[in-house]
Amino acid sequence: MGEMASMAPTSGGQYHWAAMLAPDFCKKFVSYIMGWLVICGWQAILAGSSYLGGNMIIALAQLNHPDYSPQRWQGTMTFWGIMSVTILVNTYASKILPKLESGILVLHIAGFFAILIPLLAMAPEKVSAQTVFTVFENGGGWPTTTVSVFVGLLGSVFATYGTDCAVHMAEEIRGANVVIPWCMVWTTLLNGVLGFAMLIAILFVTVDIERVLASPTGALGFPFMQIFYDATGSLAGASTMICIIIVMMICAAIAFLATSSRIVFAFGRDKGLPFWRAMSTVQAGSAIPLYAIFVMAGVSCLIGLINIGSATAFNDVISVGVSSLYASYVLTEAMLLWHRIRGTIRHPNQMADHVWHANELVWGPFHVPGIWGILLNAFAVGYGIIVFIFSFFPQIVNPDAAHMNFASLMTGTIMLFAVAYYFVYARKVYKGPVVEVAPY
C-alpha cells in the first residue's frame, strides 16, 4: 500500500487506486464498491474504538468497586462521551491536531514503558519461558491447533489494522508521496515491536488464565485489567496503567474520526454517496469537512444504541471493520501485483521526453523494485486473503447465536446496498475519482 500511496497520495485511497489499476471495462464499478468497503470499514473502526474506550472506563469502575453492577446503557453513555470529545477536537481544535498527534506519539512510547516495567518488576510470580513459547491453547475446540491460530489471529489484526489511516489525510500533508509510505512502514514496525513485547510480558505474568478470564473485568472483556492488578498488587497502580490505555483509546478515536471524515469527503466529492453535495462541503477558512465529521460521528452514536439492546448485535456490526478493510487491501494489492508482473507500471526515468496520458501508471518515489517487490506484494496478498477468510469465523466450533460471527451477513448486506444504489442512481453521476491533469 505504501507504493500505491506514493503513486497517488489522495484522500480516496483504495477506491482511487482501484480506478487506476482495475481493467477499463469495470474500473468505475470496482472503484465505487471499493469506496463503500473503505467507508464502512472505517465506520466500524471508529465505533469500535469509542466503544472499547467507553467500556474500559466501566470495567475500571468495576475493578475499583467490586459491588458495582455495570449496565449496558452506561457503556453507551461513555461511548457517546468519547465521541463528543472526538468531535470537539476535530472541529474546534483542528488547528492543533498535528501537534496533538505528536504528543500522542510521545505518550504512546512513554506509556509502553510505564506499563511494561511495573508489570515485569512487580509481578510476584511468573510462568516459565517453556510455557510461554511451547504451550498452545485451543479454547475454541477447533480440529487442529493451526486452525485455532488462524482464528485467534484476528485479535492481533484488530489491534493493528487501519494501516491506511495516514493515506486518507494525504491532501493535508506536505510531500505526501514520500511521507505517507514511510509513515505506514514506521508505524507498523513500531507498533508491531511494542505490541509483541507487551504480549510476551503479559504471557509471562499471567499464571492462571482461566481465573483471569473468569474475573469481573475478564467477564466484561478486559482480562488485562485483572492481570495488571495481580502483577502490581495495587489498585492505584493498576488503575494508573489502565488509564494510560484508556487515554490512548480516546486519542485513537480522535485520529479515526479525522481519517474517516476525509474518506467521506473524498467519496462525496466524487459523487459516490447519497447527499454528496453536503458530504463534499468544507468549512470556509479552516477547510474542515464538517458535514462528513458529523455524519461519521452521528452514525457511530446511532450504532452505540444497539449495545443497549444487545452487545452481541453491536459486536456483529463493528466486526465488519476487519472484513471490509481487508477486502479493500487485498483487491488493490492484487491489482498492483498483476500490473507489476506484467510490467505495465513505468519508472519516472522512463518518462523523460514522453507525453503523459491520463491515468498512466508511474511508480512514485517510494518503490521496492525487482523480485523483492513482487515477493513482498505476493506475501501481502496472501496474508490479506487469510485474514479476510478467517474474519468470518466464529471463535468457537458450533457457536450459539450469542457467539456467532455475523460479519459475513453484515458485509454482504452492505455490498448489496452499494450495488443496488450504484445501478439505481450512482452510475449516472459517479465517474470515478477526480483526477488533476496538467495541461500541455
Side-chain angles (χ1 to χ4, degrees):
M1 283 198 297
E3 290 180 314
M4 290 184 283
S6 186
M7 292 168 63
T10 72
S11 296
Q14 292 94 308
Y15 84 82
H16 191 110
W17 304 335
M20 293 167 46
L21 301 171
D24 290 338
F25 73 92
C26 65
K27 63 173 49 184
K28 188 172 80 167
F29 176 74
V30 172
S31 170
Y32 179 79
I33 297 301
M34 196 73 69
W36 275 94
L37 283 172
V38 176
I39 287 176
C40 291
W42 273 101
Q43 179 69 79
I45 291 179
L46 175 61
S49 62
S50 300
Y51 171 78
L52 287 175
N55 279 273
M56 282 183 190
I57 295 173
I58 298 296
L60 178 59
Q62 170 73 67
L63 178 67
N64 284 272
H65 303 279
D67 295 334
Y68 168 55
S69 179
Q71 305 296 318
R72 284 198 294 266
W73 66 267
Q74 296 168 337
T76 297
M77 294 301 292
T78 53
F79 175 113
W80 287 353
I82 291 175
M83 285 306 309
S84 299
V85 173
T86 65
I87 293 171
L88 289 173
V89 173
N90 275 277
T91 52
Y92 293 102
S94 61
K95 292 184 178 180
I96 66 169
L97 189 57
K99 295 181 180 179
L100 178 62
E101 294 288 354
S102 299
I104 292 171
L105 175 61
V106 174
L107 176 62
H108 179 49
I109 297 174
F112 167 78
F113 290 104
I115 293 174
L116 183 71
I117 293 173
L119 195 65
L120 293 177
M122 300 179 67
E125 187 178 359
K126 299 182 182 70
V127 300
S128 66
Q130 182 180 7
T131 301
V132 170
F133 293 106
T134 64
V135 175
F136 293 87
E137 297 282 349
N138 186 355
W142 297 98
T144 66
T145 302
T146 302
V147 176
S148 181
V149 167
F150 281 130
V151 173
L153 182 67
L154 294 183
S156 300
V157 169
F158 184 81
T160 57
Y161 76 152
T163 310
D164 56 317
C165 185
V167 170
H168 305 293
M169 303 295 292
E171 295 171 23
E172 301 168 50
I173 297 175
R174 294 176 182 174
N177 60 345
V178 175
V179 172
I180 289 176
W182 281 112
C183 177
M184 296 168 71
V185 170
W186 285 113
T187 53
T188 301
L189 289 175
L190 175 65
N191 290 320
V193 171
L194 297 185
F196 184 73
M198 186 63 70
L199 173 64
I200 296 300
I202 289 288
L203 291 176
F204 267 107
V205 301
T206 305
V207 179
D208 189 344
I209 294 178
E210 296 300 328
R211 186 185 65 81
V212 167
L213 292 174
S215 67
T217 57
L220 292 174
F222 304 105
F224 74 88
M225 295 186 179
Q226 186 65 42
I227 294 173
F228 287 1
Y229 178 53
D230 292 343
T232 61
S234 166
L235 276 176
S239 297
T240 302
M241 295 160 68
I242 294 166
C243 283
I244 293 173
I245 297 177
I246 292 174
V247 170
M248 293 308 303
M249 289 301 301
I250 296 173
C251 293
I254 292 171
F256 293 161
L257 180 57
T259 294
S260 59
S261 64
R262 270 55 174 188
I263 307 168
V264 171
F265 160 76
F267 205 39
R269 177 180 60 191
D270 295 325
K271 305 178 182 179
L273 291 172
F275 311 107
W276 55 266
R277 287 184 179 86
M279 298 301 102
S280 59
T281 301
V282 296
Q283 185 183 38
S286 65
I288 298 171
L290 279 180
Y291 285 106
I293 289 173
F294 289 133
V295 165
M296 293 301 285
V299 171
S300 294
C301 289
L302 291 176
I303 292 174
L305 289 172
I306 300 174
N307 180 59
I308 298 177
S310 170
T312 301
F314 177 86
N315 290 330
D316 291 338
V317 172
I318 64 173
S319 67
V320 77
V322 174
S323 57
S324 293
L325 275 189
Y326 267 84
S328 72
Y329 296 164
V330 170
L331 290 172
T332 50
E333 289 164 357
M335 288 186 285
L336 178 67
L337 180 61
W338 178 61
H339 281 283
R340 181 179 236 129
I341 293 173
R342 294 176 65 230
T344 54
I345 307 178
R346 294 174 178 265
H347 289 271
N349 56 15
Q350 296 175 323
M351 303 303 291
D353 302 321
H354 175 78
V355 178
W356 290 44
H357 301 286
N359 296 324
E360 189 161 7
L361 299 176
V362 182
W363 290 114
F366 182 89
H367 171 51
V368 182
I371 187 64
W372 288 109
I374 294 175
L375 291 176
L376 286 171
N377 201 160
F379 174 80
V381 172
Y383 173 76
I385 290 173
I386 291 173
V387 172
F388 178 73
I389 292 173
F390 282 95
S391 69
F392 300 123
F393 276 54
Q395 294 183 348
I396 59 175
V397 177
N398 300 321
D400 54 19
H403 296 90
M404 184 58 186
N405 185 345
F406 290 97
S408 56
L409 174 63
M410 298 302 302
T411 305
T413 301
I414 291 168
M415 289 301 95
L416 285 174
F417 173 82
V419 170
Y421 183 74
Y422 176 82
F423 284 107
V424 171
Y425 177 74
R427 65 187 175 88
K428 303 173 186 176
V429 295
Y430 181 72
K431 306 302 179 184
V434 174
V435 178
E436 292 184 1
V437 181
Y440 285 93

